[in-house]
Coordinates of all heavy atoms in Angstrom, one line a residue:
M1 N 0.8 -1.2 0.0 CA 0.0 0.0 0.0 C 0.9 1.2 0.0 O 1.9 1.3 0.6 CB -0.9 0.0 1.2 CG -2.0 1.0 1.1 SD -3.1 0.9 2.5 CE -4.4 0.0 1.8
G2 N 0.4 2.3 -0.6 CA 1.2 3.6 -0.8 C 1.3 4.4 0.5 O 0.6 4.1 1.5
E3 N 2.1 5.4 0.4 CA 2.2 6.3 1.6 C 0.9 7.2 1.7 O 0.3 7.6 0.7 CB 3.4 7.3 1.3 CG 4.5 7.1 2.2 CD 5.6 8.1 2.0 OE1 5.4 9.3 2.3 OE2 6.6 7.7 1.4
T4 N 0.6 7.5 2.9 CA -0.6 8.4 3.2 C -0.1 9.8 3.0 O 0.9 10.2 3.5 CB -1.1 8.2 4.6 OG1 -1.4 6.8 4.8 CG2 -2.3 9.1 4.9
P5 N -0.8 10.6 2.2 CA -0.4 12.0 2.0 C -0.4 12.8 3.3 O -1.3 12.5 4.2 CB -1.4 12.5 1.0 CG -2.5 11.6 0.9 CD -2.0 10.3 1.5
E6 N 0.5 13.7 3.4 CA 0.5 14.6 4.6 C -0.7 15.5 4.6 O -1.0 16.1 3.6 CB 1.8 15.4 4.5 CG 2.0 16.3 5.7 CD 3.4 17.0 5.6 OE1 4.1 16.8 4.7 OE2 3.6 17.9 6.5
A7 N -1.3 15.6 5.8 CA -2.4 16.5 5.9 C -1.9 18.0 5.8 O -0.8 18.3 6.2 CB -3.1 16.3 7.3
L8 N -2.8 18.8 5.3 CA -2.5 20.2 5.1 C -3.1 21.0 6.3 O -4.2 20.7 6.7 CB -3.0 20.7 3.8 CG -2.4 20.1 2.5 CD1 -3.1 20.6 1.3 CD2 -0.9 20.4 2.4
L9 N -2.4 22.0 6.7 CA -2.9 22.9 7.7 C -3.7 24.1 7.1 O -3.2 24.6 6.0 CB -1.7 23.5 8.5 CG -0.8 22.6 9.2 CD1 0.4 23.4 9.8 CD2 -1.5 21.8 10.3
T10 N -4.8 24.5 7.7 CA -5.5 25.6 7.2 C -4.7 26.9 7.6 O -3.7 26.8 8.4 CB -6.9 25.7 7.8 OG1 -6.8 25.9 9.2 CG2 -7.7 24.5 7.5
L11 N -5.1 28.0 7.2 CA -4.5 29.3 7.6 C -4.5 29.4 9.1 O -3.5 29.8 9.7 CB -5.1 30.4 6.9 CG -4.6 31.8 7.2 CD1 -3.1 32.0 6.8 CD2 -5.4 32.9 6.5
R12 N -5.7 29.2 9.7 CA -5.8 29.4 11.1 C -5.0 28.3 11.9 O -4.4 28.7 12.9 CB -7.3 29.2 11.5 CG -8.1 30.4 11.1 CD -9.5 30.3 11.6 NE -10.3 31.4 11.0 CZ -11.3 32.0 11.6 NH1 -11.6 31.6 12.8 NH2 -11.9 32.9 11.0
E13 N -4.9 27.1 11.4 CA -4.1 26.1 12.1 C -2.6 26.5 12.0 O -1.9 26.3 13.0 CB -4.3 24.7 11.4 CG -5.7 24.2 11.7 CD -6.0 23.0 10.9 OE1 -5.5 22.8 9.8 OE2 -6.9 22.2 11.3
A14 N -2.2 26.9 10.8 CA -0.8 27.3 10.6 C -0.5 28.5 11.5 O 0.6 28.6 12.2 CB -0.5 27.7 9.2
A15 N -1.4 29.5 11.6 CA -1.2 30.6 12.5 C -1.1 30.2 14.0 O -0.2 30.7 14.7 CB -2.3 31.6 12.3
A16 N -1.9 29.3 14.4 CA -1.9 28.8 15.8 C -0.6 28.1 16.0 O 0.1 28.3 17.1 CB -3.1 27.9 16.1
F17 N -0.1 27.3 15.1 CA 1.1 26.6 15.2 C 2.3 27.6 15.3 O 3.2 27.3 16.1 CB 1.3 25.7 14.0 CG 2.6 24.9 13.9 CD1 2.8 23.8 14.8 CD2 3.6 25.2 13.0 CE1 3.9 23.1 14.8 CE2 4.8 24.5 13.0 CZ 4.9 23.4 13.9
L18 N 2.3 28.6 14.5 CA 3.4 29.6 14.5 C 3.2 30.7 15.6 O 4.1 31.5 15.8 CB 3.4 30.3 13.2 CG 3.8 29.5 12.0 CD1 3.6 30.2 10.7 CD2 5.3 29.1 12.1
R19 N 2.0 30.6 16.3 CA 1.7 31.6 17.3 C 1.7 33.1 16.8 O 2.3 34.0 17.5 CB 2.6 31.4 18.6 CG 2.4 30.1 19.2 CD 3.3 29.9 20.4 NE 3.0 28.6 21.0 CZ 3.6 28.2 22.0 NH1 4.4 28.9 22.7 NH2 3.4 26.9 22.5
H20 N 1.1 33.2 15.7 CA 1.0 34.5 15.1 C -0.5 34.7 14.6 O -1.2 33.7 14.5 CB 1.9 34.7 13.9 CG 3.3 35.1 14.2 ND1 3.7 36.4 14.5 CD2 4.4 34.3 14.4 CE1 4.9 36.4 14.8 NE2 5.4 35.2 14.7
H21 N -0.9 35.9 14.4 CA -2.2 36.2 13.9 C -2.4 35.6 12.5 O -1.5 35.7 11.7 CB -2.5 37.7 14.0 CG -3.9 38.0 13.9 ND1 -4.6 38.1 12.7 CD2 -4.9 38.3 14.8 CE1 -5.9 38.4 12.9 NE2 -6.0 38.5 14.2
A22 N -3.6 35.1 12.2 CA -3.9 34.6 10.9 C -3.6 35.6 9.8 O -3.1 35.3 8.7 CB -5.3 34.1 10.8
K23 N -3.9 36.9 10.0 CA -3.7 37.9 9.0 C -2.2 38.1 8.7 O -1.8 38.3 7.6 CB -4.3 39.3 9.5 CG -5.8 39.3 9.5 CD -6.4 39.5 8.2 CE -7.9 39.7 8.3 NZ -8.5 39.7 7.0
T24 N -1.4 37.9 9.7 CA 0.1 38.0 9.5 C 0.6 36.9 8.6 O 1.3 37.1 7.7 CB 0.8 38.0 10.9 OG1 0.4 39.1 11.6 CG2 2.3 38.1 10.7
V25 N 0.1 35.7 9.0 CA 0.5 34.5 8.2 C 0.0 34.6 6.7 O 0.7 34.2 5.8 CB 0.1 33.2 8.9 CG1 0.5 32.0 8.0 CG2 0.7 33.1 10.3
E26 N -1.2 35.1 6.6 CA -1.8 35.3 5.3 C -0.9 36.3 4.5 O -0.7 36.1 3.3 CB -3.2 35.8 5.4 CG -3.9 36.0 4.1 CD -5.4 36.4 4.3 OE1 -5.6 37.2 5.2 OE2 -6.2 36.0 3.5
R27 N -0.5 37.3 5.1 CA 0.4 38.3 4.4 C 1.7 37.7 4.0 O 2.2 37.9 2.9 CB 0.6 39.6 5.3 CG 1.3 40.7 4.6 CD 1.5 41.9 5.4 NE 2.6 41.7 6.4 CZ 2.5 41.7 7.7 NH1 1.3 42.0 8.2 NH2 3.5 41.5 8.5
W28 N 2.3 36.9 5.0 CA 3.6 36.2 4.6 C 3.4 35.4 3.4 O 4.3 35.3 2.5 CB 4.0 35.4 5.8 CG 4.5 36.2 7.0 CD1 4.8 37.5 7.1 CD2 4.7 35.6 8.3 NE1 5.2 37.8 8.4 CE2 5.1 36.7 9.1 CE3 4.5 34.3 8.9 CZ2 5.4 36.5 10.5 CZ3 4.8 34.2 10.2 CH2 5.3 35.2 11.0
A29 N 2.3 34.7 3.3 CA 2.0 33.8 2.1 C 1.9 34.7 0.9 O 2.5 34.4 -0.2 CB 0.8 33.0 2.4
R30 N 1.1 35.7 1.0 CA 0.9 36.6 -0.2 C 2.2 37.2 -0.7 O 2.4 37.3 -1.9 CB -0.1 37.7 0.2 CG -0.6 38.6 -0.9 CD -1.6 39.6 -0.5 NE -1.2 40.5 0.6 CZ -1.6 40.5 1.8 NH1 -2.6 39.6 2.2 NH2 -1.2 41.3 2.7
E31 N 3.1 37.5 0.3 CA 4.4 38.1 -0.1 C 5.4 37.1 -0.4 O 6.5 37.4 -0.8 CB 4.9 39.0 1.1 CG 4.0 40.2 1.4 CD 4.4 40.9 2.6 OE1 5.2 40.4 3.4 OE2 3.8 42.0 2.9
G32 N 5.0 35.8 -0.4 CA 6.0 34.7 -0.8 C 7.0 34.4 0.3 O 8.0 33.8 0.0
K33 N 6.8 34.8 1.5 CA 7.8 34.6 2.6 C 7.7 33.2 3.2 O 8.6 32.8 3.8 CB 7.6 35.6 3.7 CG 7.9 37.0 3.2 CD 7.8 38.0 4.4 CE 8.2 39.4 3.9 NZ 8.0 40.4 5.0
I34 N 6.5 32.5 3.1 CA 6.3 31.2 3.7 C 5.7 30.3 2.6 O 4.9 30.7 1.9 CB 5.4 31.3 4.9 CG1 5.3 30.0 5.7 CG2 4.0 31.8 4.6 CD1 4.7 30.1 7.1
P35 N 6.2 29.1 2.6 CA 5.7 28.1 1.5 C 4.2 27.8 1.8 O 3.8 27.6 3.0 CB 6.6 26.9 1.7 CG 7.3 27.0 2.9 CD 7.3 28.4 3.4
H36 N 3.4 27.8 0.8 CA 2.0 27.5 0.9 C 1.4 27.1 -0.4 O 2.1 27.1 -1.4 CB 1.3 28.8 1.4 CG 1.3 29.9 0.3 ND1 2.4 30.7 0.1 CD2 0.4 30.4 -0.5 CE1 2.2 31.5 -0.9 NE2 0.9 31.4 -1.3
Y37 N 0.2 26.6 -0.4 CA -0.6 26.2 -1.5 C -1.9 27.0 -1.6 O -2.5 27.3 -0.5 CB -0.9 24.7 -1.5 CG 0.3 23.8 -1.4 CD1 0.9 23.5 -0.2 CD2 0.9 23.4 -2.6 CE1 2.0 22.7 -0.1 CE2 2.1 22.6 -2.5 CZ 2.6 22.3 -1.3 OH 3.7 21.5 -1.3
R38 N -2.3 27.3 -2.7 CA -3.6 27.9 -2.9 C -4.5 26.9 -3.6 O -4.2 26.4 -4.6 CB -3.6 29.2 -3.7 CG -2.9 30.3 -3.0 CD -3.5 31.7 -3.5 NE -3.0 32.7 -2.6 CZ -3.6 33.2 -1.6 NH1 -4.8 32.8 -1.3 NH2 -3.1 34.2 -0.9
V39 N -5.7 26.7 -3.0 CA -6.7 25.8 -3.6 C -8.0 26.6 -3.6 O -8.6 26.8 -2.5 CB -6.9 24.5 -2.7 CG1 -7.9 23.6 -3.3 CG2 -5.5 23.7 -2.6
G40 N -8.3 27.1 -4.8 CA -9.4 28.1 -4.9 C -9.0 29.3 -4.1 O -7.9 29.9 -4.3
S41 N -9.8 29.7 -3.1 CA -9.5 30.9 -2.3 C -8.8 30.5 -1.0 O -8.5 31.4 -0.2 CB -10.8 31.6 -2.0 OG -11.7 30.8 -1.3
R42 N -8.7 29.2 -0.8 CA -8.0 28.7 0.5 C -6.5 28.8 0.4 O -5.9 28.5 -0.6 CB -8.5 27.3 0.8 CG -10.0 27.2 1.1 CD -10.4 25.9 1.4 NE -9.9 25.6 2.8 CZ -9.9 24.4 3.4 NH1 -10.4 23.4 2.7 NH2 -9.4 24.2 4.6
V43 N -5.9 29.1 1.5 CA -4.4 29.1 1.7 C -4.1 27.9 2.6 O -4.6 27.9 3.7 CB -3.9 30.4 2.2 CG1 -2.4 30.4 2.4 CG2 -4.3 31.6 1.4
L44 N -3.3 27.0 2.1 CA -3.0 25.8 2.9 C -1.5 25.6 3.0 O -0.7 26.1 2.2 CB -3.6 24.5 2.2 CG -5.1 24.6 2.0 CD1 -5.5 23.4 1.1 CD2 -5.8 24.5 3.4
F45 N -1.1 24.9 4.1 CA 0.3 24.8 4.4 C 0.6 23.3 4.8 O -0.1 22.7 5.5 CB 0.7 25.6 5.6 CG 0.4 27.1 5.5 CD1 -0.9 27.6 5.7 CD2 1.3 28.0 5.1 CE1 -1.3 28.9 5.6 CE2 1.0 29.3 4.9 CZ -0.3 29.8 5.1
R46 N 1.7 22.8 4.3 CA 2.2 21.5 4.7 C 3.0 21.7 6.0 O 3.9 22.6 6.0 CB 3.1 20.8 3.7 CG 2.4 20.1 2.7 CD 3.2 19.2 1.8 NE 4.6 19.3 1.9 CZ 5.5 18.7 1.2 NH1 5.1 18.0 0.2 NH2 6.8 18.9 1.4
R47 N 2.7 21.0 7.0 CA 3.4 21.1 8.3 C 4.9 21.0 8.2 O 5.7 21.7 8.7 CB 2.8 20.1 9.3 CG 3.4 20.4 10.7 CD 2.7 19.4 11.7 NE 3.0 19.8 13.1 CZ 4.1 19.3 13.7 NH1 4.9 18.5 13.2 NH2 4.3 19.7 15.0
S48 N 5.3 20.0 7.4 CA 6.8 19.8 7.2 C 7.4 21.0 6.5 O 8.5 21.3 6.8 CB 7.0 18.5 6.3 OG 6.4 18.6 5.1
D49 N 6.7 21.6 5.5 CA 7.2 22.9 4.9 C 7.4 24.0 5.9 O 8.4 24.7 5.9 CB 6.3 23.3 3.8 CG 6.3 22.4 2.6 OD1 7.3 21.6 2.4 OD2 5.4 22.6 1.7
V50 N 6.4 24.1 6.8 CA 6.4 25.2 7.8 C 7.6 24.9 8.8 O 8.4 25.8 9.1 CB 5.1 25.3 8.6 CG1 5.2 26.3 9.7 CG2 4.0 25.7 7.6
L51 N 7.8 23.7 9.2 CA 8.9 23.3 10.1 C 10.2 23.6 9.4 O 11.2 24.1 10.1 CB 8.8 21.8 10.5 CG 7.7 21.5 11.5 CD1 7.6 20.0 11.7 CD2 8.0 22.2 12.9
Q52 N 10.4 23.2 8.2 CA 11.6 23.5 7.4 C 11.9 25.0 7.3 O 13.0 25.5 7.5 CB 11.6 22.9 6.0 CG 12.9 23.1 5.3 CD 12.9 22.4 3.9 OE1 11.9 21.7 3.6 NE2 13.9 22.7 3.1
W53 N 10.8 25.7 7.0 CA 10.9 27.2 6.9 C 11.4 27.8 8.2 O 12.2 28.7 8.2 CB 9.5 27.7 6.5 CG 9.4 29.2 6.3 CD1 9.8 30.0 5.3 CD2 8.8 30.1 7.3 NE1 9.5 31.3 5.5 CE2 8.9 31.4 6.8 CE3 8.2 29.9 8.5 CZ2 8.4 32.5 7.5 CZ3 7.8 31.0 9.2 CH2 7.8 32.3 8.7
L54 N 10.8 27.3 9.3 CA 11.2 27.8 10.6 C 12.7 27.5 10.9 O 13.4 28.3 11.4 CB 10.4 27.2 11.7 CG 9.0 27.8 12.0 CD1 8.3 26.9 13.0 CD2 9.1 29.2 12.5
G55 N 13.1 26.3 10.6 CA 14.5 25.8 10.8 C 15.5 26.7 10.0 O 16.6 27.0 10.5
E56 N 15.1 27.1 8.8 CA 16.0 28.0 8.0 C 16.1 29.4 8.6 O 17.0 30.1 8.3 CB 15.4 28.1 6.6 CG 15.5 26.8 5.8 CD 14.7 26.8 4.5 OE1 14.0 27.8 4.2 OE2 14.7 25.8 3.8
R57 N 15.2 29.8 9.4 CA 15.2 31.1 10.1 C 15.6 31.0 11.5 O 15.5 32.0 12.2 CB 13.8 31.7 10.0 CG 13.6 32.3 8.6 CD 12.2 32.2 8.1 NE 12.2 32.6 6.7 CZ 12.5 31.8 5.7 NH1 12.9 30.6 5.9 NH2 12.5 32.2 4.5
R58 N 16.1 29.9 11.9 CA 16.5 29.7 13.3 C 17.4 30.8 13.9 O 17.3 31.3 15.0 CB 17.1 28.3 13.5 CG 17.4 27.9 14.9 CD 18.0 26.6 15.0 NE 18.2 25.9 13.7 CZ 17.8 24.7 13.4 NH1 17.1 24.0 14.3 NH2 18.0 24.2 12.2
T59 N 18.4 31.3 13.1 CA 19.3 32.3 13.5 C 19.0 33.7 13.0 O 19.7 34.6 13.4 CB 20.8 31.9 13.1 OG1 20.8 31.8 11.7 CG2 21.2 30.6 13.7
E60 N 18.0 33.8 12.2 CA 17.6 35.1 11.7 C 16.6 35.7 12.6 O 15.8 35.1 13.3 CB 16.9 35.0 10.3 CG 17.8 34.5 9.2 CD 17.0 34.4 7.9 OE1 16.0 35.1 7.7 OE2 17.4 33.6 7.1
Q61 N 16.6 37.0 12.6 CA 15.5 37.8 13.3 C 14.4 38.1 12.2 O 14.7 38.7 11.2 CB 16.0 39.0 13.9 CG 14.9 39.7 14.7 CD 15.5 41.0 15.4 OE1 16.6 41.4 15.2 NE2 14.7 41.5 16.3
F62 N 13.2 37.5 12.4 CA 12.2 37.7 11.4 C 11.1 38.6 12.0 O 10.7 38.4 13.1 CB 11.6 36.3 11.1 CG 10.6 36.4 9.9 CD1 11.1 36.5 8.7 CD2 9.2 36.4 10.2 CE1 10.2 36.6 7.6 CE2 8.4 36.5 9.1 CZ 8.8 36.6 7.8
R63 N 10.8 39.7 11.2 CA 9.8 40.6 11.7 C 8.6 40.6 10.8 O 8.7 40.2 9.6 CB 10.4 42.0 11.7 CG 11.7 42.1 12.5 CD 12.1 43.5 12.7 NE 11.3 43.9 13.8 CZ 11.4 45.1 14.4 NH1 12.2 45.9 14.0 NH2 10.6 45.4 15.4
D64 N 7.5 41.0 11.3 CA 6.3 41.1 10.6 C 6.5 42.0 9.4 O 6.1 42.4 8.6 CB 5.1 41.6 11.4 CG 4.8 40.6 12.6 OD1 5.4 39.6 12.6 OD2 3.9 41.0 13.4

């Protein structure tokens, strides 16, 4: 049997995970600062992409 696809996080779930306001995470996505997918009008995030993105910024100071 094949691999189970990774569940996607909604904008609100990703914002809660990152401990930021959903509008901030939405802006980061719109500006191309965080990896995301658009499905219709929905903005979705793979948890593994968000974790990798965070790891790449571990030593950077990231501002809104």
Side-chain angles (χ1 to χ4, degrees):
M1 193 177 260
E3 248 182 73
T4 303
E6 182 178 356
L8 296 173
L9 301 174
T10 65
L11 178 61
R12 287 181 189 216
E13 291 168 337
F17 179 72
L18 293 167
R19 297 184 181 181
H20 277 278
H21 195 278
K23 292 281 187 189
T24 300
V25 178
E26 183 178 36
R27 187 179 76 240
W28 291 345
R30 187 176 58 249
E31 294 172 352
K33 293 182 178 179
I34 188 169
H36 66 285
Y37 300 89
R38 287 209 175 262
V39 179
S41 62
R42 296 183 70 190
V43 181
L44 301 171
F45 304 83
R46 274 191 353 188
R47 188 174 189 273
S48 60
D49 288 345
V50 174
L51 286 170
Q52 181 178 354
W53 178 79
L54 280 173
E56 292 168 358
R57 279 144 190 81
R58 187 178 1 233
T59 58
E60 294 181 25
Q61 184 176 11
F62 188 76
R63 303 193 83 175
D64 296 354

